[in-house]
């Protein structure tokens, strides 16, 4: 049991995971504002413009959750969804992995459609694809940490 605890990776004991979460936070923040700007600039002409609008709140929520994961060690050792006392925004953020779980397949499908149809510029396609790959990697970590543990 002790050996298993020592081998358990969290951002607090693994610099690589902490750097990955920092990368995710930067990516999600940049993507959120980039896609919001693109939405306002091209909303009347670009296909799937509402996806760009939806990526803004998702990016901001996930950025906050990356901060929570990097700074709150208790999340990794208590049952999911983690509840902070007294009630705080972290109680709501504990459900972000479930939101991502629901959205990951539709986003991947739309991402493939955008690439096939070439309906967005190459940089926007690449940024959306990088976000989707990052979502999948995060889902792997969420499963490892038991953040989807109510299933």
């Amino acid at each position: 049991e002790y050996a298993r605890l020592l081998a358990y990776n969290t951002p607090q004991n693994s610099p690589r995971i902490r750097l990955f979460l920092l990368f995710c936070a930067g990516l999600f923040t940049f993507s959120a504002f980039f896609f919001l700007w693109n939405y306002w600039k091209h909303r009347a002409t670009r296909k799937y413009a509402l996806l760009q609008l939806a990526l803004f709140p998702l990016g901001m929520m996930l950025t906050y959750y990356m901060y929570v994961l990097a700074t709150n060690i208790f999340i990794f050792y208590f049952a999911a969804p983690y509840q902070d006392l007294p009630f705080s925004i972290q109680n709501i953020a504990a459900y972000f992995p479930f939101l991502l779980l629901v959205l990951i397949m539709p986003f991947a499908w739309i991402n493939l459609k955008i690439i096939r149809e070439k309906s967005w510029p190459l940089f926007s396609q690449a940024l959306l694809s990088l976000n989707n790959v990052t979502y999948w990697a995060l889902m792997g970590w969420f499963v490892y940490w038991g953040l989807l543990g109510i299933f």
Side-chain angles (χ1 to χ4, degrees):
E1 184 72 23
Y2 181 69
R4 199 173 111 202
L5 182 62
L6 286 177
Y8 188 64
N9 291 309
T10 68
Q12 287 74 20
N13 66 12
S14 173
R16 287 183 179 166
I17 296 173
R18 187 177 284 266
L19 282 174
F20 174 69
L21 293 180
L22 181 62
F23 165 77
C24 290
L27 172 68
F28 296 148
T29 302
F30 173 77
S31 297
F33 287 104
F34 175 82
F35 286 123
L36 181 66
W37 175 75
N38 258 321
Y39 171 77
W40 289 113
K41 188 176 174 191
H42 303 288
R43 67 183 175 269
T45 60
R46 189 165 292 163
K47 197 171 181 183
Y48 307 109
L50 283 178
L51 174 65
Q52 291 181 323
L53 185 60
L55 287 169
F56 177 73
L58 179 65
M60 298 286 53
M61 289 188 303
L62 289 175
T63 297
Y64 174 72
Y65 197 59
M66 296 305 103
Y67 166 77
V68 170
L69 290 175
T71 59
N72 189 343
I73 194 166
F74 303 113
I75 288 176
F76 304 101
Y77 298 104
F78 290 95
Y82 176 75
Q83 298 299 306
D84 197 19
L85 292 175
F87 182 82
S88 71
I89 194 166
Q90 287 185 17
N91 294 32
I92 298 167
Y95 292 93
F96 291 172
F98 301 103
L99 175 65
L100 190 59
L101 181 64
V102 169
L103 295 176
I104 199 165
M105 288 304 292
F107 277 10
W109 180 72
I110 292 170
N111 189 13
L112 289 174
K113 286 183 71 169
I114 288 169
I115 291 170
R116 280 192 211 119
E117 296 171 4
K118 297 183 184 351
S119 55
W120 287 6
L122 186 60
F123 181 76
S124 296
Q125 289 179 32
L127 188 59
L128 181 62
S129 298
L130 181 59
N131 273 275
N132 273 292
V133 168
T134 307
Y135 298 156
W136 284 98
L138 279 174
M139 288 307 296
W141 282 112
F142 293 163
V143 169
Y144 172 76
W145 290 322
L147 299 177
L148 298 168
I150 64 169
F151 291 117

